[in-house]
Amino acid sequence: MKHALLTLCLLLATSAAAADKQIAITIDDLPVISATPLTLAEKQHVTTQLLNAMKKHGVRAVGFVNEDKLLEKNQLDANVALLEAWLANDMELANHTFGHLGMHKSSVEQMKAAVIKGETISRWLSERAGKPYRYFRHPFTQTGNSVEEQHAFESFLAEHGYSVAPYTIEHNDYLFSCLNDHLLAGKDIGVSRETMLKEYLAHLDNAVEAFETMSQELFGRQIPQVFLIHANRLNGEMLDATLQRLKEHGYRFIPYDQALEDPAYAIKAGPSKKFGPSWLMRWAKTMNKKLSVYGQPDPAEPLMKAFNTHCS
């Protein structure tokens, strides 16, 4: 009887551990990005929506800033205030370059300059608020065209106090965001907004399942995942539902630095060249492992057609 009870307790403990999936939230292109013009009031509204959703779900996110977005005529102070709101809500800011330069088409020297120029305000704000300023995320998550180029740039980042910011889960939110921006502007893109929003959440489900499969095949477990999305109108509206969906997938939200403590993130990921896939794909290459899936599937064909017509 005691043996059976002990076995049951062990099974329950194992099951509970397996169910405790963890995920950190990271948001790119702060303060706000859009395919169509944005008013200051709209940027303020999107920022409030994002922060309210994260506060509701107990999320402490890292927001990656493109400081060129701050330098709008007569809006510098107001745009800086958007970043201050992130810090005031216990979020962390990080560097995403000035100008959103991708490494595939930029020299190492150009990238270095974009990093330095891209930290002027956000580093100062973070230090003034007593927050760390420690991560750099490559635009387009392009980490270099060669091992030598990657090493040269990442050595520079380390010398300036930065850690490269990996991610493991995405779901083409930039595609849906562009379509949403055009729909809100009254453009006929051949897809209704109702359909687009429905497909947005369905695509999230498919993406999560794909990346979970990759984690299981690589490590035999669910590592703490890192979710990458963008600061845009669509996510302002949908982040509450997105975070709820992640909870329904069994996830618990953790800070980014806690996720990165997992041994998986110590595995070397090589240069990306043109495309910047999930670190799960990069690790599979490093580990010489073949997977049954490689990232999220494409959204439904009508959405892909609309994106290729109106956003590419």
Side-chain angles (χ1 to χ4, degrees):
M1 182 67 177
K2 288 183 179 179
H3 178 73
L5 183 60
L6 178 60
T7 300
L8 177 60
C9 290
L10 289 172
L11 287 172
L12 289 173
T14 301
S15 176
D20 183 30
K21 296 188 294 186
Q22 302 171 357
I23 194 164
I25 307 300
T26 63
I27 304 184
D28 286 7
D29 299 342
L30 267 62
V32 182
I33 189 170
S34 176
T36 57
L38 278 170
T39 66
L40 174 59
E42 287 174 318
K43 288 185 289 185
Q44 292 168 332
H45 182 57
V46 169
T47 300
T48 298
Q49 288 178 311
L50 292 170
L51 293 172
N52 284 347
M54 290 189 287
K55 183 176 180 180
K56 175 181 176 180
H57 292 275
V59 169
R60 290 171 53 202
V62 177
F64 292 85
V65 181
N66 293 125
E67 288 204 1
D68 54 293
K69 290 181 171 37
L70 303 177
L71 306 184
E72 296 178 301
K73 186 176 181 180
N74 300 323
Q75 290 190 16
L76 175 59
D77 288 346
N79 287 332
V80 169
L82 298 177
L83 300 185
E84 290 177 311
W86 280 75
L87 293 168
N89 281 272
D90 205 24
M91 307 300 165
E92 189 173 328
L93 299 180
N95 196 326
H96 201 38
T97 76
F98 187 100
H100 204 269
L101 268 64
M103 281 198 76
H104 184 61
K105 293 183 178 180
S106 304
S107 70
V108 171
E109 292 307 311
Q110 287 173 319
M111 291 299 301
K112 290 179 180 179
V115 171
I116 297 301
K117 195 173 181 179
E119 69 177 17
T120 306
I121 296 172
S122 49
R123 180 184 287 278
W124 173 69
L125 290 174
S126 297
E127 291 175 351
R128 189 182 67 174
K131 296 285 187 178
Y133 189 79
R134 49 186 166 171
Y135 298 118
F136 174 81
R137 174 165 284 156
H138 301 70
F140 311 107
T141 57
Q142 295 171 347
T143 55
N145 294 307
S146 68
V147 172
E148 294 75 17
E149 185 178 74
Q150 180 187 26
H151 176 72
F153 184 56
E154 292 186 3
S155 295
F156 161 83
L157 292 175
E159 289 168 4
H160 286 76
Y162 289 107
S163 297
V164 172
Y167 79 96
T168 56
I169 295 180
E170 62 176 345
H171 75 121
N172 293 46
D173 69 310
Y174 65 90
L175 180 154
F176 291 92
S177 173
C178 181
L179 298 181
N180 183 63
D181 289 338
H182 287 303
L183 284 165
L184 291 176
K187 192 170 186 177
D188 181 5
I189 63 170
V191 177
S192 71
R193 191 161 185 271
E194 180 182 7
T195 296
M196 186 273 298
L197 293 175
K198 181 179 178 181
E199 289 293 334
Y200 176 87
L201 290 175
H203 186 258
L204 171 64
D205 290 336
N206 291 337
V208 169
E209 291 169 7
F211 289 113
E212 286 182 347
T213 297
M214 294 172 67
S215 177
Q216 196 66 37
E217 291 179 359
L218 277 174
F219 301 108
R221 62 189 177 93
Q222 291 304 309
I223 67 167
Q225 302 277 10
V226 175
F227 188 45
L228 186 161
I229 57 172
H230 299 81
N232 53 47
R233 283 191 189 99
L234 180 59
N235 284 326
E237 179 179 348
M238 297 296 291
L239 186 56
D240 181 18
T242 295
L243 297 175
Q244 180 59 40
R245 205 75 154 215
L246 291 173
K247 283 183 175 178
E248 291 167 3
H249 279 277
Y251 282 100
R252 175 170 61 88
F253 301 116
I254 61 173
Y256 191 37
D257 58 352
Q258 183 177 332
L260 298 185
E261 291 173 359
D262 190 274
Y265 290 92
I267 299 171
K268 181 64 178 175
S272 67
K273 299 185 179 180
K274 181 178 180 180
F275 300 104
S278 163
W279 259 246
L280 289 165
M281 279 180 264
R282 303 177 198 226
W283 292 330
K285 186 175 181 179
T286 298
M287 298 163 69
N288 197 28
K289 284 193 175 185
K290 291 186 177 180
L291 304 176
S292 63
V293 294
Y294 288 88
Q296 73 275 33
D298 285 339
E301 178 57 30
L303 293 166
M304 290 301 301
K305 181 179 179 181
F307 178 78
N308 290 330
T309 300
H310 300 283
C311 297
S312 296

mmCIF file of all heavy atoms in Angstrom, residues 4-52:
data_model
loop_
_atom_site.group_PDB
_atom_site.id
_atom_site.type_symbol
_atom_site.label_atom_id
_atom_site.label_comp_id
_atom_site.label_asym_id
_atom_site.label_seq_id
_atom_site.Cartn_x
_atom_site.Cartn_y
_atom_site.Cartn_z
ATOM 1 N N ALA A 4 2.479 1.688 -3.386
ATOM 2 C CA ALA A 4 1.528 2.200 -4.379
ATOM 3 C C ALA A 4 1.293 3.692 -4.179
ATOM 4 O O ALA A 4 1.207 4.461 -5.148
ATOM 5 C CB ALA A 4 0.206 1.442 -4.273
ATOM 6 N N LEU A 5 1.217 4.117 -2.905
ATOM 7 C CA LEU A 5 0.999 5.527 -2.607
ATOM 8 C C LEU A 5 2.200 6.363 -3.036
ATOM 9 O O LEU A 5 2.059 7.453 -3.607
ATOM 10 C CB LEU A 5 0.745 5.699 -1.110
ATOM 11 C CG LEU A 5 0.419 7.124 -0.635
ATOM 12 C CD1 LEU A 5 -0.838 7.639 -1.332
ATOM 13 C CD2 LEU A 5 0.232 7.149 0.881
ATOM 14 N N LEU A 6 3.409 5.834 -2.790
ATOM 15 C CA LEU A 6 4.625 6.533 -3.190
ATOM 16 C C LEU A 6 4.699 6.665 -4.706
ATOM 17 O O LEU A 6 5.050 7.726 -5.238
ATOM 18 C CB LEU A 6 5.851 5.781 -2.664
ATOM 19 C CG LEU A 6 7.222 6.366 -3.049
ATOM 20 C CD1 LEU A 6 7.350 7.784 -2.518
ATOM 21 C CD2 LEU A 6 8.343 5.491 -2.515
ATOM 22 N N THR A 7 4.353 5.587 -5.397
ATOM 23 C CA THR A 7 4.353 5.613 -6.867
ATOM 24 C C THR A 7 3.385 6.659 -7.386
ATOM 25 O O THR A 7 3.693 7.413 -8.318
ATOM 26 C CB THR A 7 3.981 4.227 -7.422
ATOM 27 O OG1 THR A 7 4.929 3.269 -6.961
ATOM 28 C CG2 THR A 7 3.970 4.243 -8.948
ATOM 29 N N LEU A 8 2.204 6.719 -6.785
ATOM 30 C CA LEU A 8 1.201 7.698 -7.195
ATOM 31 C C LEU A 8 1.711 9.116 -6.979
ATOM 32 O O LEU A 8 1.542 9.991 -7.843
ATOM 33 C CB LEU A 8 -0.092 7.475 -6.412
ATOM 34 C CG LEU A 8 -1.232 8.476 -6.682
ATOM 35 C CD1 LEU A 8 -1.637 8.437 -8.157
ATOM 36 C CD2 LEU A 8 -2.422 8.183 -5.787
ATOM 37 N N CYS A 9 2.351 9.360 -5.838
ATOM 38 C CA CYS A 9 2.890 10.699 -5.546
ATOM 39 C C CYS A 9 3.955 11.095 -6.562
ATOM 40 O O CYS A 9 4.001 12.240 -7.016
ATOM 41 C CB CYS A 9 3.472 10.735 -4.140
ATOM 42 S SG CYS A 9 2.221 10.654 -2.836
ATOM 43 N N LEU A 10 4.822 10.141 -6.916
ATOM 44 C CA LEU A 10 5.867 10.419 -7.901
ATOM 45 C C LEU A 10 5.264 10.733 -9.258
ATOM 46 O O LEU A 10 5.722 11.630 -9.973
ATOM 47 C CB LEU A 10 6.826 9.234 -8.001
ATOM 48 C CG LEU A 10 7.755 9.020 -6.793
ATOM 49 C CD1 LEU A 10 8.512 7.708 -6.944
ATOM 50 C CD2 LEU A 10 8.726 10.185 -6.670
ATOM 51 N N LEU A 11 4.245 9.981 -9.647
ATOM 52 C CA LEU A 11 3.573 10.218 -10.925
ATOM 53 C C LEU A 11 2.924 11.594 -10.951
ATOM 54 O O LEU A 11 2.996 12.317 -11.948
ATOM 55 C CB LEU A 11 2.528 9.133 -11.191
ATOM 56 C CG LEU A 11 3.074 7.753 -11.580
ATOM 57 C CD1 LEU A 11 1.943 6.738 -11.625
ATOM 58 C CD2 LEU A 11 3.769 7.830 -12.949
ATOM 59 N N LEU A 12 2.284 11.961 -9.849
ATOM 60 C CA LEU A 12 1.639 13.268 -9.766
ATOM 61 C C LEU A 12 2.670 14.384 -9.821
ATOM 62 O O LEU A 12 2.459 15.420 -10.470
ATOM 63 C CB LEU A 12 0.810 13.369 -8.483
ATOM 64 C CG LEU A 12 -0.461 12.527 -8.443
ATOM 65 C CD1 LEU A 12 -1.091 12.577 -7.053
ATOM 66 C CD2 LEU A 12 -1.466 12.997 -9.498
ATOM 67 N N ALA A 13 3.800 14.184 -9.144
ATOM 68 C CA ALA A 13 4.850 15.199 -9.147
ATOM 69 C C ALA A 13 5.435 15.360 -10.539
ATOM 70 O O ALA A 13 5.687 16.480 -11.006
ATOM 71 C CB ALA A 13 5.944 14.822 -8.156
ATOM 72 N N THR A 14 5.656 14.245 -11.226
ATOM 73 C CA THR A 14 6.187 14.289 -12.594
ATOM 74 C C THR A 14 5.214 14.985 -13.524
ATOM 75 O O THR A 14 5.593 15.802 -14.362
ATOM 76 C CB THR A 14 6.467 12.869 -13.104
ATOM 77 O OG1 THR A 14 7.398 12.245 -12.224
ATOM 78 C CG2 THR A 14 7.046 12.897 -14.513
ATOM 79 N N SER A 15 3.930 14.661 -13.355
ATOM 80 C CA SER A 15 2.904 15.278 -14.193
ATOM 81 C C SER A 15 2.837 16.774 -13.954
ATOM 82 O O SER A 15 2.722 17.567 -14.891
ATOM 83 C CB SER A 15 1.540 14.640 -13.899
ATOM 84 O OG SER A 15 0.521 15.284 -14.618
ATOM 85 N N ALA A 16 2.926 17.184 -12.700
ATOM 86 C CA ALA A 16 2.870 18.609 -12.368
ATOM 87 C C ALA A 16 4.061 19.338 -12.965
ATOM 88 O O ALA A 16 3.931 20.448 -13.489
ATOM 89 C CB ALA A 16 2.833 18.791 -10.850
ATOM 90 N N ALA A 17 5.246 18.694 -12.888
ATOM 91 C CA ALA A 17 6.442 19.320 -13.446
ATOM 92 C C ALA A 17 6.315 19.476 -14.949
ATOM 93 O O ALA A 17 6.703 20.488 -15.526
ATOM 94 C CB ALA A 17 7.669 18.490 -13.091
ATOM 95 N N ALA A 18 5.761 18.430 -15.605
ATOM 96 C CA ALA A 18 5.594 18.477 -17.058
ATOM 97 C C ALA A 18 4.607 19.557 -17.462
ATOM 98 O O ALA A 18 4.735 20.165 -18.527
ATOM 99 C CB ALA A 18 5.126 17.115 -17.569
ATOM 100 N N ALA A 19 3.620 19.786 -16.605
ATOM 101 C CA ALA A 19 2.593 20.771 -16.939
ATOM 102 C C ALA A 19 3.070 22.198 -16.697
ATOM 103 O O ALA A 19 2.458 23.143 -17.182
ATOM 104 C CB ALA A 19 1.335 20.501 -16.124
ATOM 105 N N ASP A 20 4.156 22.356 -15.951
ATOM 106 C CA ASP A 20 4.647 23.684 -15.608
ATOM 107 C C ASP A 20 5.510 24.226 -16.747
ATOM 108 O O ASP A 20 6.741 24.309 -16.634
ATOM 109 C CB ASP A 20 5.433 23.638 -14.303
ATOM 110 C CG ASP A 20 5.903 25.026 -13.876
ATOM 111 O OD1 ASP A 20 5.204 26.006 -14.203
ATOM 112 O OD2 ASP A 20 6.949 25.127 -13.220
ATOM 113 N N LYS A 21 4.872 24.558 -17.823
ATOM 114 C CA LYS A 21 5.587 25.137 -18.955
ATOM 115 C C LYS A 21 5.763 26.629 -18.703
ATOM 116 O O LYS A 21 4.857 27.294 -18.210
ATOM 117 C CB LYS A 21 4.822 24.883 -20.254
ATOM 118 C CG LYS A 21 4.715 23.405 -20.606
ATOM 119 C CD LYS A 21 4.134 23.173 -21.984
ATOM 120 C CE LYS A 21 2.690 23.598 -22.088
ATOM 121 N NZ LYS A 21 2.092 23.226 -23.390
ATOM 122 N N GLN A 22 6.937 27.137 -19.063
ATOM 123 C CA GLN A 22 7.278 28.517 -18.759
ATOM 124 C C GLN A 22 7.569 29.282 -20.038
ATOM 125 O O GLN A 22 8.114 28.737 -21.000
ATOM 126 C CB GLN A 22 8.507 28.556 -17.843
ATOM 127 C CG GLN A 22 8.313 27.798 -16.545
ATOM 128 C CD GLN A 22 9.597 27.672 -15.755
ATOM 129 O OE1 GLN A 22 10.656 28.105 -16.185
ATOM 130 N NE2 GLN A 22 9.513 27.078 -14.573
ATOM 131 N N ILE A 23 7.236 30.580 -20.015
ATOM 132 C CA ILE A 23 7.467 31.397 -21.192
ATOM 133 C C ILE A 23 7.741 32.843 -20.776
ATOM 134 O O ILE A 23 7.118 33.358 -19.846
ATOM 135 C CB ILE A 23 6.266 31.326 -22.168
ATOM 136 C CG1 ILE A 23 6.641 31.897 -23.535
ATOM 137 C CG2 ILE A 23 5.026 32.000 -21.603
ATOM 138 C CD1 ILE A 23 5.655 31.525 -24.638
ATOM 139 N N ALA A 24 8.702 33.447 -21.444
ATOM 140 C CA ALA A 24 9.016 34.863 -21.243
ATOM 141 C C ALA A 24 8.524 35.643 -22.450
ATOM 142 O O ALA A 24 8.574 35.151 -23.590
ATOM 143 C CB ALA A 24 10.523 35.048 -21.068
ATOM 144 N N ILE A 25 8.077 36.863 -22.224
ATOM 145 C CA ILE A 25 7.515 37.691 -23.291
ATOM 146 C C ILE A 25 8.504 38.792 -23.659
ATOM 147 O O ILE A 25 8.992 39.519 -22.785
ATOM 148 C CB ILE A 25 6.177 38.328 -22.853
ATOM 149 C CG1 ILE A 25 5.208 37.247 -22.337
ATOM 150 C CG2 ILE A 25 5.565 39.115 -24.007
ATOM 151 C CD1 ILE A 25 4.847 36.181 -23.349
ATOM 152 N N THR A 26 8.795 38.903 -24.936
ATOM 153 C CA THR A 26 9.642 39.986 -25.441
ATOM 154 C C THR A 26 8.907 40.679 -26.583
ATOM 155 O O THR A 26 8.248 40.026 -27.387
ATOM 156 C CB THR A 26 11.004 39.469 -25.940
ATOM 157 O OG1 THR A 26 10.815 38.579 -27.052
ATOM 158 C CG2 THR A 26 11.746 38.741 -24.831
ATOM 159 N N ILE A 27 9.038 42.001 -26.628
ATOM 160 C CA ILE A 27 8.285 42.791 -27.609
ATOM 161 C C ILE A 27 9.243 43.717 -28.347
ATOM 162 O O ILE A 27 9.943 44.524 -27.733
ATOM 163 C CB ILE A 27 7.157 43.592 -26.930
ATOM 164 C CG1 ILE A 27 6.232 42.634 -26.156
ATOM 165 C CG2 ILE A 27 6.372 44.391 -27.969
ATOM 166 C CD1 ILE A 27 5.033 43.297 -25.520
ATOM 167 N N ASP A 28 9.270 43.594 -29.663
ATOM 168 C CA ASP A 28 10.190 44.361 -30.505
ATOM 169 C C ASP A 28 9.553 45.631 -31.055
ATOM 170 O O ASP A 28 8.322 45.756 -31.120
ATOM 171 C CB ASP A 28 10.654 43.510 -31.688
ATOM 172 C CG ASP A 28 11.662 42.450 -31.293
ATOM 173 O OD1 ASP A 28 11.913 42.280 -30.084
ATOM 174 O OD2 ASP A 28 12.196 41.781 -32.198
ATOM 175 N N ASP A 29 10.426 46.531 -31.506
ATOM 176 C CA ASP A 29 10.060 47.731 -32.282
ATOM 177 C C ASP A 29 9.309 48.783 -31.476
ATOM 178 O O ASP A 29 8.378 49.421 -31.978
ATOM 179 C CB ASP A 29 9.252 47.360 -33.543
ATOM 180 C CG ASP A 29 10.040 46.467 -34.488
ATOM 181 O OD1 ASP A 29 11.276 46.419 -34.358
ATOM 182 O OD2 ASP A 29 9.423 45.829 -35.355
ATOM 183 N N LEU A 30 9.737 48.950 -30.233
ATOM 184 C CA LEU A 30 9.167 50.041 -29.431
ATOM 185 C C LEU A 30 9.634 51.389 -29.986
ATOM 186 O O LEU A 30 10.718 51.481 -30.566
ATOM 187 C CB LEU A 30 9.632 49.911 -27.971
ATOM 188 C CG LEU A 30 8.728 49.138 -27.019
ATOM 189 C CD1 LEU A 30 8.587 47.703 -27.449
ATOM 190 C CD2 LEU A 30 9.283 49.224 -25.599
ATOM 191 N N PRO A 31 8.849 52.472 -29.795
ATOM 192 C CA PRO A 31 7.607 52.436 -28.996
ATOM 193 C C PRO A 31 6.428 51.772 -29.700
ATOM 194 O O PRO A 31 5.698 51.017 -29.084
ATOM 195 C CB PRO A 31 7.323 53.899 -28.692
ATOM 196 C CG PRO A 31 8.070 54.671 -29.711
ATOM 197 C CD PRO A 31 9.272 53.857 -30.086
ATOM 198 N N VAL A 32 6.213 52.025 -31.002
ATOM 199 C CA VAL A 32 5.128 51.381 -31.748
ATOM 200 C C VAL A 32 5.533 51.351 -33.215
ATOM 201 O O VAL A 32 6.134 52.299 -33.719
ATOM 202 C CB VAL A 32 3.779 52.127 -31.596
ATOM 203 C CG1 VAL A 32 2.670 51.401 -32.355
ATOM 204 C CG2 VAL A 32 3.397 52.283 -30.130
ATOM 205 N N ILE A 33 5.171 50.277 -33.910
ATOM 206 C CA ILE A 33 5.423 50.176 -35.343
ATOM 207 C C ILE A 33 4.096 50.008 -36.076
ATOM 208 O O ILE A 33 3.153 49.397 -35.559
ATOM 209 C CB ILE A 33 6.370 48.998 -35.660
ATOM 210 C CG1 ILE A 33 6.794 49.035 -37.128
ATOM 211 C CG2 ILE A 33 5.745 47.664 -35.285
ATOM 212 C CD1 ILE A 33 7.902 48.080 -37.473
ATOM 213 N N SER A 34 4.025 50.551 -37.290
ATOM 214 C CA SER A 34 2.797 50.457 -38.078
ATOM 215 C C SER A 34 3.123 50.543 -39.559
ATOM 216 O O SER A 34 4.076 51.226 -39.954
ATOM 217 C CB SER A 34 1.825 51.584 -37.695
ATOM 218 O OG SER A 34 0.675 51.548 -38.512
ATOM 219 N N ALA A 35 2.314 49.862 -40.370
ATOM 220 C CA ALA A 35 2.459 49.938 -41.822
ATOM 221 C C ALA A 35 1.802 51.181 -42.396
ATOM 222 O O ALA A 35 2.036 51.547 -43.541
ATOM 223 C CB ALA A 35 1.854 48.690 -42.472
ATOM 224 N N THR A 36 0.985 51.831 -41.592
ATOM 225 C CA THR A 36 0.305 53.062 -42.000
ATOM 226 C C THR A 36 0.564 54.123 -40.932
ATOM 227 O O THR A 36 0.961 53.798 -39.810
ATOM 228 C CB THR A 36 -1.211 52.821 -42.141
ATOM 229 O OG1 THR A 36 -1.734 52.310 -40.900
ATOM 230 C CG2 THR A 36 -1.511 51.815 -43.258
ATOM 231 N N PRO A 37 0.367 55.402 -41.242
ATOM 232 C CA PRO A 37 0.684 56.466 -40.277
ATOM 233 C C PRO A 37 -0.075 56.320 -38.959
ATOM 234 O O PRO A 37 -1.239 55.912 -38.933
ATOM 235 C CB PRO A 37 0.271 57.739 -41.021
ATOM 236 C CG PRO A 37 0.377 57.386 -42.468
ATOM 237 C CD PRO A 37 -0.051 55.948 -42.562
ATOM 238 N N LEU A 38 0.611 56.670 -37.873
ATOM 239 C CA LEU A 38 0.037 56.619 -36.536
ATOM 240 C C LEU A 38 0.035 58.006 -35.918
ATOM 241 O O LEU A 38 1.022 58.738 -36.019
ATOM 242 C CB LEU A 38 0.879 55.716 -35.631
ATOM 243 C CG LEU A 38 0.681 54.203 -35.671
ATOM 244 C CD1 LEU A 38 1.798 53.545 -34.881
ATOM 245 C CD2 LEU A 38 -0.661 53.810 -35.084
ATOM 246 N N THR A 39 -1.052 58.366 -35.278
ATOM 247 C CA THR A 39 -1.070 59.612 -34.506
ATOM 248 C C THR A 39 -0.446 59.347 -33.145
ATOM 249 O O THR A 39 -0.316 58.192 -32.699
ATOM 250 C CB THR A 39 -2.501 60.122 -34.310
ATOM 251 O OG1 THR A 39 -3.223 59.181 -33.480
ATOM 252 C CG2 THR A 39 -3.219 60.277 -35.643
ATOM 253 N N LEU A 40 -0.074 60.406 -32.458
ATOM 254 C CA LEU A 40 0.458 60.266 -31.103
ATOM 255 C C LEU A 40 -0.576 59.607 -30.199
ATOM 256 O O LEU A 40 -0.244 58.735 -29.397
ATOM 257 C CB LEU A 40 0.856 61.628 -30.546
ATOM 258 C CG LEU A 40 1.301 61.648 -29.082
ATOM 259 C CD1 LEU A 40 2.502 60.733 -28.868
ATOM 260 C CD2 LEU A 40 1.617 63.067 -28.639
ATOM 261 N N ALA A 41 -1.821 59.999 -30.336
ATOM 262 C CA ALA A 41 -2.880 59.417 -29.506
ATOM 263 C C ALA A 41 -2.986 57.902 -29.737
ATOM 264 O O ALA A 41 -3.206 57.132 -28.789
ATOM 265 C CB ALA A 41 -4.215 60.084 -29.798
ATOM 266 N N GLU A 42 -2.807 57.469 -30.987
ATOM 267 C CA GLU A 42 -2.863 56.032 -31.278
ATOM 268 C C GLU A 42 -1.678 55.308 -30.649
ATOM 269 O O GLU A 42 -1.835 54.206 -30.105
ATOM 270 C CB GLU A 42 -2.886 55.814 -32.791
ATOM 271 C CG GLU A 42 -4.211 56.173 -33.440
ATOM 272 C CD GLU A 42 -4.164 56.088 -34.961
ATOM 273 O OE1 GLU A 42 -3.150 56.533 -35.552
ATOM 274 O OE2 GLU A 42 -5.123 55.568 -35.547
ATOM 275 N N LYS A 43 -0.496 55.898 -30.697
ATOM 276 C CA LYS A 43 0.674 55.272 -30.074
ATOM 277 C C LYS A 43 0.485 55.161 -28.562
ATOM 278 O O LYS A 43 0.840 54.147 -27.950
ATOM 279 C CB LYS A 43 1.926 56.071 -30.405
ATOM 280 C CG LYS A 43 2.381 55.945 -31.855
ATOM 281 C CD LYS A 43 3.686 56.653 -32.111
ATOM 282 C CE LYS A 43 3.543 58.154 -32.085
ATOM 283 N NZ LYS A 43 4.802 58.847 -32.442
ATOM 284 N N GLN A 44 -0.062 56.205 -27.987
ATOM 285 C CA GLN A 44 -0.315 56.178 -26.542
ATOM 286 C C GLN A 44 -1.337 55.094 -26.196
ATOM 287 O O GLN A 44 -1.183 54.376 -25.193
ATOM 288 C CB GLN A 44 -0.807 57.551 -26.078
ATOM 289 C CG GLN A 44 0.273 58.628 -26.159
ATOM 290 C CD GLN A 44 -0.276 60.032 -25.976
ATOM 291 O OE1 GLN A 44 -1.440 60.298 -26.292
ATOM 292 N NE2 GLN A 44 0.565 60.956 -25.490
ATOM 293 N N HIS A 45 -2.353 54.953 -27.041
ATOM 294 C CA HIS A 45 -3.388 53.950 -26.802
ATOM 295 C C HIS A 45 -2.816 52.540 -26.912
ATOM 296 O O HIS A 45 -3.102 51.675 -26.059
ATOM 297 C CB HIS A 45 -4.519 54.140 -27.810
ATOM 298 C CG HIS A 45 -5.662 53.186 -27.631
ATOM 299 N ND1 HIS A 45 -6.362 53.074 -26.450
ATOM 300 C CD2 HIS A 45 -6.232 52.288 -28.495
ATOM 301 C CE1 HIS A 45 -7.311 52.161 -26.579
ATOM 302 N NE2 HIS A 45 -7.244 51.664 -27.810
ATOM 303 N N VAL A 46 -2.005 52.291 -27.937
ATOM 304 C CA VAL A 46 -1.394 50.967 -28.107
ATOM 305 C C VAL A 46 -0.505 50.635 -26.915
ATOM 306 O O VAL A 46 -0.551 49.523 -26.370
ATOM 307 C CB VAL A 46 -0.589 50.900 -29.418
ATOM 308 C CG1 VAL A 46 0.254 49.629 -29.477
ATOM 309 C CG2 VAL A 46 -1.513 50.963 -30.628
ATOM 310 N N THR A 47 0.296 51.597 -26.493
ATOM 311 C CA THR A 47 1.179 51.378 -25.343
ATOM 312 C C THR A 47 0.383 51.042 -24.098
ATOM 313 O O THR A 47 0.725 50.100 -23.357
ATOM 314 C CB THR A 47 2.046 52.629 -25.096
ATOM 315 O OG1 THR A 47 2.845 52.888 -26.260
ATOM 316 C CG2 THR A 47 2.951 52.446 -23.887
ATOM 317 N N THR A 48 -0.690 51.774 -23.859
ATOM 318 C CA THR A 48 -1.541 51.512 -22.692
ATOM 319 C C THR A 48 -2.164 50.123 -22.774
ATOM 320 O O THR A 48 -2.213 49.390 -21.772
ATOM 321 C CB THR A 48 -2.643 52.575 -22.585
ATOM 322 O OG1 THR A 48 -2.033 53.868 -22.401
ATOM 323 C CG2 THR A 48 -3.569 52.288 -21.412
ATOM 324 N N GLN A 49 -2.634 49.747 -23.963
ATOM 325 C CA GLN A 49 -3.235 48.423 -24.140
ATOM 326 C C GLN A 49 -2.224 47.314 -23.844
ATOM 327 O O GLN A 49 -2.537 46.343 -23.139
ATOM 328 C CB GLN A 49 -3.757 48.264 -25.569
ATOM 329 C CG GLN A 49 -4.999 49.058 -25.893
ATOM 330 C CD GLN A 49 -5.410 48.863 -27.348
ATOM 331 O OE1 GLN A 49 -4.588 48.975 -28.268
ATOM 332 N NE2 GLN A 49 -6.666 48.536 -27.575
ATOM 333 N N LEU A 50 -1.027 47.440 -24.381
ATOM 334 C CA LEU A 50 0.005 46.424 -24.158
ATOM 335 C C LEU A 50 0.336 46.301 -22.676
ATOM 336 O O LEU A 50 0.399 45.190 -22.125
ATOM 337 C CB LEU A 50 1.266 46.772 -24.952
ATOM 338 C CG LEU A 50 1.179 46.683 -26.479
ATOM 339 C CD1 LEU A 50 2.426 47.287 -27.116
ATOM 340 C CD2 LEU A 50 1.008 45.237 -26.933
ATOM 341 N N LEU A 51 0.552 47.425 -22.035
ATOM 342 C CA LEU A 51 0.935 47.404 -20.625
ATOM 343 C C LEU A 51 -0.199 46.890 -19.739
ATOM 344 O O LEU A 51 0.041 46.135 -18.789
ATOM 345 C CB LEU A 51 1.371 48.803 -20.189
ATOM 346 C CG LEU A 51 2.672 49.305 -20.838
ATOM 347 C CD1 LEU A 51 2.913 50.768 -20.485
ATOM 348 C CD2 LEU A 51 3.859 48.449 -20.420
ATOM 349 N N ASN A 52 -1.434 47.264 -20.051
ATOM 350 C CA ASN A 52 -2.571 46.789 -19.261
ATOM 351 C C ASN A 52 -2.732 45.270 -19.372
ATOM 352 O O ASN A 52 -3.024 44.586 -18.380
ATOM 353 C CB ASN A 52 -3.857 47.480 -19.702
ATOM 354 C CG ASN A 52 -3.963 48.905 -19.183
ATOM 355 O OD1 ASN A 52 -3.210 49.312 -18.296
ATOM 356 N ND2 ASN A 52 -4.887 49.677 -19.722
#
